[in-house]
């Protein structure tokens, strides 16, 4: 389960996005601004005065963020520290723009970096590191899908360069919100056999966990102590199914009794992992399902999960 991440936005980005101030010369993408050879950050484009809405301003900055970057300048484009700092700044703007405006900005970056193979490889690696890797505090599947889809649209992308993004796109598209969660069989700590689809619940919090993971223990404890989650359980609107997926029966047997008493605690004998039914980059992974087992939330933060449940209580 992902922790809430705090944006890496620096003050200049916040000012540019949330104020209406523009340079007196700003009526284009910012040609009046040059890249200082000693600077570690690209200059922001000057935003046209007519764009006063923060979302519109964010869209404009995203689209023109890399205008001053010459990807054939290998001193800069091959400098991993320089590229990483600016890539993080670029990502930090994403939450301030409309989601549909991200694709053109990502397409522009990929097309520009594609002029130099090493530069393109660095951008691909950074996208994976920040948006896909399980340990990244900025991990965001929706954003990574944009990068993968735009990468696969590049007209001259070689066949061998397509294999990894194709595989990753297939992985992240599993059990997306709005789709029906994949069915599987499990055995409860009481010795009963059932399936996900036969699990009756108005809403189901499906938790994949590993008792040998200390990080899991901390998060499971936090979920167990959540006032909001327990209130919705007591109202009968939420059930919890916690499933151990690694198939080590002795490990599960020795820890199952310590799990929350108002949860259904179960073991899957490794079919979920062996068949690749779910993407499980790091434990625990949480899904919130409706009564028909359609995915409402996939790998939400605890805060996102609680806010969603609160909205249901208030209706």
């Amino acid at each position: 389960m992902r922790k809430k991440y705090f944006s890496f936005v620096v003050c200049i980005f916040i000012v540019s996005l949330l104020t209406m101030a523009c340079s007196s010369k700003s009526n284009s993408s910012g040609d009046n601004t040059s890249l200082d050879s000693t600077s570690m950050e690209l200059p922001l484009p000057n935003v046209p005065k007519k764009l006063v809405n923060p979302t519109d301003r964010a869209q404009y900055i995203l689209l023109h963020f890399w205008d001053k970057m010459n990807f054939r300048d290998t001193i800069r484009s091959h400098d991993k520290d320089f590229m990483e700092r600016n890539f993080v700044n670029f990502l930090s703007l994403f939450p301030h723009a409309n989601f549909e405006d991200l694709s053109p900005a990502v397409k522009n970056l990929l097309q520009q970096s594609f002029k130099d193979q090493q530069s393109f490889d660095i951008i691909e690696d950074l996208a994976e590191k920040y948006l896909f890797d399980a340990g990244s505090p900025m991990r965001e599947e929706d954003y990574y899908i944009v990068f993968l889809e735009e990468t696969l649209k590049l007209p001259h992308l070689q066949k061998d360069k397509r294999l990894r993004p194709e595989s990753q796109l297939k992985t992240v598209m599993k059990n997306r919100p709005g789709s029906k969660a994949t069915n599987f069989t499990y055995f409860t700590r009481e010795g009963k056999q059932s399936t996900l689809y036969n699990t009756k619940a108005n809403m189901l919090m499906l938790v994949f966990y590993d008792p040998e993971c200390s990080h899991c223990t901390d998060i499971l404890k936090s979920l167990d102590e959540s006032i909001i989650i327990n209130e919705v359980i007591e109202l009968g609107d939420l059930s919890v199914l916690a499933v151990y997926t690694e198939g080590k029966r002795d490990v599960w047997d020795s820890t199952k009794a310590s799990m929350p008493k108002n949860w259904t605690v179960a073991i899957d004998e490794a079919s979920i992992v062996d068949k690749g039914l779910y993407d499980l980059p790091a434990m625990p992974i949480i899904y919130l399902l409706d009564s028909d087992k359609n995915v409402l939330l996939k790998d939400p933060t605890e805060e996102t999960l609680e806010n969603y449940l609160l909205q249901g209580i208030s209706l």
Side-chain angles (χ1 to χ4, degrees), residues 120-173:
F120 180 73
D121 290 343
I122 288 173
I123 293 297
E124 276 200 308
D125 289 344
L126 288 172
E128 180 174 343
K129 174 182 178 180
Y130 281 96
L131 299 178
F132 183 67
D133 285 359
S136 171
M138 296 181 76
R139 185 173 184 268
E140 180 53 67
E141 191 174 83
D142 289 343
Y143 296 161
Y144 194 51
I145 288 172
V146 174
F147 273 89
L148 293 174
E149 290 179 339
E150 291 301 326
T151 296
L152 293 171
K153 290 178 185 177
L154 291 169
H156 302 296
L157 188 66
Q158 296 178 354
K159 186 176 181 179
D160 62 324
K161 290 289 185 179
R162 298 182 62 87
L163 297 178
R164 186 166 179 80
E166 284 177 341
S167 174
Q168 290 176 323
L169 184 59
K170 182 179 179 179
T171 295
V172 297
M173 292 302 291

Side-chain angles (χ1 to χ4, degrees), residues 58-67 71 87 90-95 97-114 120 123-124 126-128 131 140-154:
Q59 175 191 355
Y60 185 91
I61 295 173
L62 276 170
L63 192 59
H64 296 282
F65 185 92
W66 300 95
D67 283 1
F71 282 92
F87 186 79
F90 179 64
L91 290 185
S92 297
L93 293 163
F94 280 30
N98 290 322
F99 184 79
E100 58 268 22
D101 294 327
L102 300 183
S103 290
V106 171
K107 178 181 179 180
N108 179 58
L109 167 59
L110 293 175
Q111 288 180 337
Q112 292 299 314
S113 65
F114 199 63
F120 180 73
I123 293 297
E124 276 200 308
L126 288 172
E128 180 174 343
L131 299 178
E140 180 53 67
E141 191 174 83
D142 289 343
Y143 296 161
Y144 194 51
I145 288 172
V146 174
F147 273 89
L148 293 174
E149 290 179 339
E150 291 301 326
T151 296
L152 293 171
K153 290 178 185 177
L154 291 169

